[in-house]
Amino acid sequence: MTEQALHLSGVRKTFKGFTLNGVSFSLPKGYVMGLVGPNGAGKTTIIKLIMNLIAPEAGEIRILGLDSRKQEAEARAQIGFVYDVMPFYADVSLRDTKRAMAPFYRKWNESLFQELASTFDLPLKKKVKKLSQGMRTKFALALALSHEAELLILDEPTTGLDPVFRRELLHGLSGLLQDEGKSVLFSTHITSDLERIADYVTFIRDGSILLTETREELREVWGLVRGDESSVSALDSKLWRGSRRTPHGMDVLTSDASAARRALGDTVVVERASFEDIVVLLEDALLDDALPDGEVHHA
């Protein structure tokens, strides 16, 4: 049985006007999962629950086999957390910030921090306020990795970064994870980030998990059916997951590209759906209540 870095089972949390509704998913050890969904979908609530910043009303959260509530100290020690905006003191240097934070970690590895600081070209003598957003993110990653955390939780880590820097950062992060065997849960709204490093993708909307699959499943199984409206409309409604009209006809998102090809033959074109196609069309379908029979794909 594959060891789980993170496992949520039936997790529920209610706020005024919002409910996280029995969320369940698992992240195997040594893999990267992208958590995607619109603003207000429940991504931040899930992260706060994992970090034990708020308590669930029902369900269980396990971190590397540890109960996140009953074994909180041990579980928290396994987590490295990077916010989208890190709460560092602006007038303090990176070196002094690190010196202040290191004693809070039982497994702080100073040599690893220095190695990461060199890899990320961190200007340790500079004050936080002098750094770009990208450098602050790198510094936060160095801190998170230097206490030998086995699970990294990244909350919108590439927000506000320019595309070139974002690509370099993800490439470096991917290399570090591969070398160290770390596990990562990162929330994002940037689908290109998912395609670059995510082994698993979990899509949440209105507090419910609509999809959680491997990158390979998404690439090999999901498809985009393209053709004139009459041909595309002949597809069984059970295979529809979303649609959009185009100047040349209609595109239909399907979670079974092979079945669509068998059903429609050469009357349409069935292409591999990109992560952006899947996220955007599934979201549009839900917003428009456009899925036939109100169906969505549940993992």
Side-chain angles (χ1 to χ4, degrees), residues 83-86 131-138 155-167 169-170 187-190 192-193:
Y83 296 84
D84 56 343
V85 179
M86 294 301 294
L131 299 184
S132 66
Q133 178 62 31
M135 274 297 173
R136 293 185 192 191
T137 300
K138 283 187 173 183
D155 187 11
E156 300 280 359
T158 61
T159 298
L161 303 184
D162 69 77
V164 174
F165 189 92
R166 190 170 74 240
R167 190 179 301 112
L169 181 63
L170 290 171
S187 68
T188 185
H189 63 278
I190 304 173
S192 59
D193 288 355

Side-chain angles (χ1 to χ4, degrees), residues 240-254:
W240 286 54
R241 295 295 176 262
S243 65
R244 64 186 172 206
R245 286 184 171 79
T246 72
H248 308 290
M250 179 177 284
D251 294 345
V252 169
L253 178 69
T254 179

Side-chain angles (χ1 to χ4, degrees), residues 156-216:
E156 300 280 359
T158 61
T159 298
L161 303 184
D162 69 77
V164 174
F165 189 92
R166 190 170 74 240
R167 190 179 301 112
E168 292 175 353
L169 181 63
L170 290 171
H171 178 73
L173 179 60
S174 181
L176 285 170
L177 298 172
Q178 187 173 14
D179 293 341
E180 299 294 331
K182 308 294 185 183
S183 310
V184 181
L185 176 72
F186 78 104
S187 68
T188 185
H189 63 278
I190 304 173
T191 54
S192 59
D193 288 355
L194 297 175
E195 296 201 78
R196 286 194 179 98
I197 69 169
D199 301 299
Y200 291 81
V201 176
T202 295
F203 181 42
I204 184 170
R205 185 178 188 274
D206 291 340
S208 296
I209 299 296
L210 300 180
L211 175 156
T212 182
E213 294 188 5
T214 68
R215 176 169 57 183
E216 287 71 23

Side-chain angles (χ1 to χ4, degrees), residues 6 24 30 35 39 41 45 48 64 76-77 81 97 110 115 117 135 145 185 230 241 262 281 295:
L6 177 65
S24 299
L35 181 62
N39 291 336
T45 299
K48 287 182 176 179
L64 293 162
R76 285 286 293 272
F81 189 33
T97 300
E110 180 63 22
E115 181 183 339
M135 274 297 173
L145 289 164
L185 176 72
S230 61
R241 295 295 176 262
R262 291 193 300 269
L281 286 178
E295 295 177 1

Side-chain angles (χ1 to χ4, degrees), residues 212-234:
T212 182
E213 294 188 5
T214 68
R215 176 169 57 183
E216 287 71 23
E217 288 171 330
L218 290 174
R219 286 176 169 173
E220 295 174 9
V221 179
W222 288 66
L224 201 61
V225 182
R226 292 181 156 170
D228 63 75
E229 191 165 342
S230 61
S231 298
V232 170
S233 296

